Amino acid sequence: MVNLKLPLKLPPWLRWLTVGLVIFGLIQSFSTPVLSQEPIQIRVMMHASEAQQWQPLKADFEEQNPDIRLDIVAGPNDTNLVEDLYASAFLLGDSPYDLIYADIAWIPKFAAAGWLRPLDDYLEPGDLDGFLSGDIEGGRYRDMLYRMPFRSDAGMLYYRTDLLTEAGYDPPQTFTDLLEISQSLQDQGLTDWGFVWQGRQYEGLAAMFVEILAGHGGYWVDPETLDVGLDEPEAIAAVEFLRETIAQGISPPGVTTYAEEETRRLFQNGRTAFLRNWPYVFPLASDSPIAGKFAIQPMVHAPGQESGACQGGWGMAISATSRHPRETWRVIQYLTSTEAQRNYILANGYVPSRIALFSDPEVLAKYPHYADLLSVVKNSTLRPPVAQYAQVSDILQRFLSAALTERLTPERAMAQAAAETRRLLVQ
Ligand code: GLC
């Protein structure tokens, strides 16, 4: 038998040292995991171009919050491709994303599917003060808030001031003005193309069409009654206008394959007089061959109608499957703070969702056009905020694309789009 007894006759100093070492060891063994605990990872996905622009925000946030690491995954650039990736992650079950960087157009679908955590539990009184109301409304579904606004967006018309001045034109007000001025500038050899817009079959086509439709006095889906207006004469006229731009050679035939970036490049390279796009183009074009030679205005409209602007924008939501909703909320609080938003806007020229930033001296010094932008953004229209929005949009994109590429007449295309949309909404 082994004798396990320790020698009992230790000198008192050694006994105290032993006790001290044991206590120290115990404290160490309890405290070490806490001290060396890894930061909590909060994962978000977004289109690649913005993933890059988020890097300074990430660095600043992590410096202020050493217990959280923001893991930014770069996705594709089209909004609906990013949406599809998020959707498939949720459909597979345990989504790896905590934070959802969400287009305003995704919220009804994501909220109805139960993929997002309502934010109402986290909100303190006053948290929503100072944001543009359209941006807040776009984040609600059935009276619950699911998305905090980060950057707002609204579609508008860019035009070349130098070309208009040279040819003696005022900026166009109506669709007819736009066609006539374009044609004349092209005939005079001042520009290759008159007007470029997003004609590819994707979400950007639907967003652009909202503006042409509103400018003709038409509507897509009435959110209250769920009436569908796509086969009304105003909607047919809107499709005919877009077809006319191609038929008259005002828009290049390739316009039916363009998303935002293709159209921006044509404008920046001086190849078109007019462009429909979002405000992010402004700072980029200001650093291009056409710097100082362009301006923005609301989209043109039919006589007696008003300009339409599609309400766009991006914000943050918490994934229903996140194991760290509190930490994700802390990221959201940081990103939607005035300070973070100001830095992001100043660096990248996006549109604020906080009203005060439109008249912020630092922002105005760099982007004087923000003074005019506020009214365009305030008057913008949401895409139909229905749970089936992704399908509603997909129907419009398919039939609009068929009409624009002359596979169907505008009447047939819009009759079929309206019928499919009605069938979907009465289900
Ligand atoms: C912009 C808008 C977004 C819209 C998208 C369409 O990113 O902010 O709301 O859905 O363009 O391409």
Side-chain angles (χ1 to χ4, degrees), residues 79 103-105 151 153 202-204 207 260 278 311-314 383:
T79 171
D103 187 340
I104 199 162
R151 62 175 185 88
D153 235 353
Y202 79 124
E203 182 56 31
E260 283 86 356
W278 308 95
Q311 158 102 61
W314 294 78
R383 282 157 275 181

Side-chain angles (χ1 to χ4, degrees), residues 279-308:
Y280 83 97
V281 169
F282 201 104
L284 299 174
S286 301
D287 189 21
S288 82
I290 59 154
K293 297 180 183 162
F294 71 93
I296 48 172
Q297 67 164 51
M299 182 48 74
V300 290
H301 49 83
Q305 300 293 344
E306 304 215 326
S307 292

